[in-house]
Amino acid sequence: MIKRRSPVPFERERSERFLPFVIGAMTFLGALAVVLLFTLDAAMTRWRADLRDTLTVQIPATKEAGGERAEAVLAIVRATPGVANAQLVTYEEVERLLEPWLGKGSAAKGLPIPILIDITRAPGATIDRAATERQIQKAAPGATIEDHGTWLNRLVRLALSIQLVAAAIVMLIGAAAIAVVVFATRAGLAVHHDAIEILHLIGAQDAYIAREFQTRALSLGLRGGLYGLALAAVAIAVFTAALPDLSVAPAFRFSPDGRALVALVLLPVATALIALLTARHTVMRALGRMP
Amino acid sequence: MIRFEKVGLRYGERPEVLRGVNFDLSAGSFHFLTGPSGAGKSSLLKLIYLALHPTEGRIILFGRDVAKVPRRELPWLRRRIGVVFQNFRLLGHFSAIENVALPLLIKGAKRQEVETHVIELLRWVGLGERVAAYPATMSDGEKQRVAIARAVVGRPSVLLADEPTGNIDPDQAIRIVHLFEELNKLGTTVVIATHDQNLIARYNHHPVLHLERAAVRRHDPLSPVTALAAAAAGGVRSHD
Ligand SMILES: Nc1ncnc2c1ncn2[C@@H]1O[C@H](COP(=O)(O)OP(=O)(O)O)[C@@H](O)[C@H]1O
Ligand SMILES: [Mg+2]
């Protein structure tokens, strides 16, 4: 006969039903930011692994065949300390690389295509890029050697700043969520003032009354978090499906690595916990002002 | 059991509601607290049930100076004081049995454990048939009895009632005072605030605390008529 229900009549109050939707929207944005963060992180790891130990020599195209010059440069490079491997990029490979831009066929045939040599650095070794460049320029004027490290560093810096922005967004959303829960809880305290006072006067401890509010906030927060996550999952699925058509670099595709999935699953849990703790703190403070 | 020492109370910057109030209510006593409307009866009860702090003086409950009790221990003091509030103050979304069980539930009792006891208590106040009724469907007399059952369910040593006969017909009122007397016989200290002089006259075997012009005068139950006459003359600041 004694039903299991809260002495604070939350169900009768409609004003706080907006909370799951607001928290849902926040979680959605937060999830996208988290995905961005981890996608970039994974991409950077891949770039580093792919590019850290490679350099490229570029010999400008000339009227006459470049075979001789290429052989000479290759010999110099192979003799340079720190070089583990150096390989001429074949004409077919260059053609394949250019294909997306120039189309299939032999469109590249008429173009002055530079000769490329891929260099792999020995692990842990350093190559004196400037000195090597001077050396190869004797054999092939205009030849340059490009260290991907510089380019990579710039890319990493860009990615890091995007990550920083994403992290800031996540924190901003967290702060906004706290503010929303504070306001909703304060509104709840005002609306349910009578029930709270009755509980207080018949000897309920502050923690008991706060528990009613924090349980409520936890459930609303969790619901909102799950709404947001579900929406984010749909959005990510749509993005992932749409990306290949936009032919954006594969690095920007969301590959659900373990950490990202864990972070995404933890997001609604974190939202619910933030709601719980915020509600508890707000209620305890308000009750502390009662005699 | 309940001692006021030079207790003063004011709300904000307004004039004092209570000034230099002294009295000592012994355990197991039964008092009426009376005085004209606005005299401060409700305020005095609130001081006892710890809804207000006095602006001056000391209140000693169960031998403890209330001002020195840490805030987190106050709930335990409140649980020893049952209050029948003016306007009942029942939870509208709780049935009679749930309202009455509440003081036990907040102490951590299990719902099934308390059910029998609560139903018994509702039967005692004459609401055996209304156990599952909601306040909105009850008469004021019924609500008052639910409020009384809630006030006593935790077996408090002190029972306070603020105008418990205010909104109900005389027959119901007599019934309710009778419940208080029964509890008093079981050892509960009772204080009933009322401005109803007929009620006090009817139960003139109980001492009366008369509140007027911010002070309290205690009247001997053996001479209620003179006491009331003295009170009507008014304005006499007094001690216990
Ligand atoms: N919360 C309050 N704030 C300000 N004044 C109050 C408050 N409660 C009561 N008062 C004032 O204190 C005086 C005593 O009120 P109260 O204790 O309710 O008297 P009674 O119960 O005897 O009618 C009245 O003048 C009333 O206006
Ligand atoms: Mg009153």
Side-chain angles (χ1 to χ4, degrees), chain B residues 166-230:
Chain B
N167 306 314
I168 56 185
D169 62 65
D171 286 351
Q172 290 269 12
I174 287 164
R175 220 176 140 170
I176 277 164
V177 177
H178 190 72
L179 288 176
F180 291 137
E181 288 193 316
E182 273 187 49
L183 288 162
N184 179 243
K185 281 193 194 102
L186 296 171
T188 313
T189 309
V190 176
V191 180
I192 300 177
T194 181
H195 65 271
D196 182 352
Q197 296 304 325
N198 294 331
L199 190 77
I200 292 168
R202 188 185 181 102
Y203 293 92
N204 60 17
H205 49 289
H206 296 305
V208 175
L209 294 169
H210 192 93
L211 194 55
E212 189 147 18
R213 302 209 183 161
V216 162
R217 189 179 180 89
R218 188 173 187 275
H219 300 302
D220 189 340
L222 297 177
S223 55
V225 179
T226 38
L228 287 173

Side-chain angles (χ1 to χ4, degrees), chain B residues 23 34 63 88 108 142-143 157 178 195-196 221:
Chain B
F23 60 75
T34 189
F88 328 119
E142 287 174 328
K143 285 187 218 168
S157 13
H178 190 72
H195 65 271
D196 182 352

Side-chain angles (χ1 to χ4, degrees), chain A:
Chain A
M1 292 200 92
I2 302 173
K3 295 198 190 76
R4 179 204 188 91
R5 54 180 159 188
S6 174
V8 184
F10 293 112
E11 290 306 330
R12 288 190 168 186
E13 188 44 50
R14 281 156 194 283
S15 72
E16 58 180 14
R17 294 199 184 158
F18 77 95
L19 207 56
F21 296 100
V22 176
I23 289 180
M26 288 172 165
T27 310
F28 170 68
L29 296 174
L32 293 190
V34 163
V35 166
L36 182 63
L37 234 138
F38 280 102
T39 305
L40 282 176
D41 204 56
M44 281 197 291
T45 312
R46 238 174 295 139
W47 292 335
R48 280 209 189 90
D50 290 355
L51 299 176
R52 192 185 47 220
D53 288 326
T54 62
L55 299 91
T56 303
V57 174
Q58 197 171 320
I59 304 164
T62 46
K63 294 263 162 46
E64 61 268 25
E68 241 168 74
R69 281 176 302 146
E71 286 305 325
V73 170
L74 204 55
I76 295 168
V77 168
R78 281 187 176 145
T80 305
V83 172
N85 185 30
Q87 202 116 38
L88 204 63
V89 181
T90 63
Y91 189 80
E92 288 69 37
E93 270 180 280
V94 176
E95 207 173 32
R96 194 173 48 75
L97 285 171
L98 292 174
E99 202 181 84
W101 281 274
L102 302 176
K104 235 181 163 72
S106 316
K109 282 238 165 69
L111 290 170
I113 292 175
I115 297 163
L116 300 176
I117 295 168
D118 273 348
I119 299 170
T120 310
R121 202 189 334 242
T126 48
I127 294 171
D128 187 343
R129 198 188 60 83
T132 313
E133 197 170 67
R134 277 195 300 278
Q135 286 278 312
I136 61 172
Q137 274 170 0
K138 284 179 198 155
T144 55
I145 180 162
E146 211 177 291
D147 187 347
H148 294 154
T150 324
W151 181 74
L152 183 66
N153 280 344
R154 243 176 281 145
L155 201 62
V156 164
R157 236 175 292 140
L158 173 69
L160 275 176
S161 56
I162 296 174
Q163 278 190 316
L164 228 58
V165 170
I169 289 172
V170 171
M171 274 190 275
L172 212 63
I173 289 171
I178 289 174
V180 166
V181 174
V182 167
F183 284 123
T185 306
R186 285 210 189 127
L189 282 168
V191 169
H192 302 298
H193 182 264
D194 225 42
I196 292 166
E197 200 172 62
I198 291 167
L199 286 167
H200 181 68
L201 291 177
I202 65 176
Q205 290 164 277
D206 292 354
Y208 177 93
I209 299 170
R211 206 174 306 135
E212 299 300 319
F213 279 85
Q214 72 205 35
T215 307
R216 178 75 177 162
L218 179 74
S219 114
L220 294 176
L222 199 60
R223 210 185 316 156
L226 290 174
Y227 289 166
L229 191 63
L231 207 61
V234 171
I236 291 162
V238 169
F239 277 167
T240 314
L243 275 179
D245 297 335
L246 299 171
S247 73
V248 172
F252 288 102
R253 209 169 298 147
F254 175 57
S255 47
D257 96 351
R259 288 175 311 157
L261 285 182
V262 168
L264 283 179
V265 169
L266 283 181
L267 205 59
V269 177
T271 322
L273 279 178
I274 287 175
L276 180 150
L277 292 174
T278 307
R280 179 182 174 81
H281 181 76
T282 310
V283 174
M284 291 299 274
R285 268 187 57 149
L287 291 175
R289 286 193 283 269
M290 288 174 94

Side-chain angles (χ1 to χ4, degrees), chain A residues 195-209 286-291, chain B residues 1-2 45-54 59-62 64-67 69-85 89 102-104 106-107 147 150-160 188-189:
Chain A
I196 292 166
E197 200 172 62
I198 291 167
L199 286 167
H200 181 68
L201 291 177
I202 65 176
Q205 290 164 277
D206 292 354
Y208 177 93
I209 299 170
L287 291 175
R289 286 193 283 269
M290 288 174 94
Chain B
M1 178 130 280
I2 305 169
L45 290 188
K46 280 178 186 164
L47 287 172
I48 304 175
Y49 64 75
L50 306 172
L52 283 177
H53 290 308
I59 294 175
I60 296 171
L61 281 181
F62 314 113
R64 297 184 73 181
D65 182 347
V66 167
V69 178
R71 193 177 172 283
R72 72 194 141 72
E73 283 178 32
L74 290 178
W76 275 268
L77 284 188
R78 290 195 181 98
R79 289 173 193 182
R80 298 179 65 183
I81 303 167
V83 187
V84 181
F85 300 99
R89 306 199 71 171
L102 194 57
L104 304 176
I106 62 164
K107 286 197 257 189
R150 183 183 64 187
V152 301
V153 72
R155 302 186 199 286
S157 13
V158 172
L159 178 63
L160 309 175
T188 313
T189 309

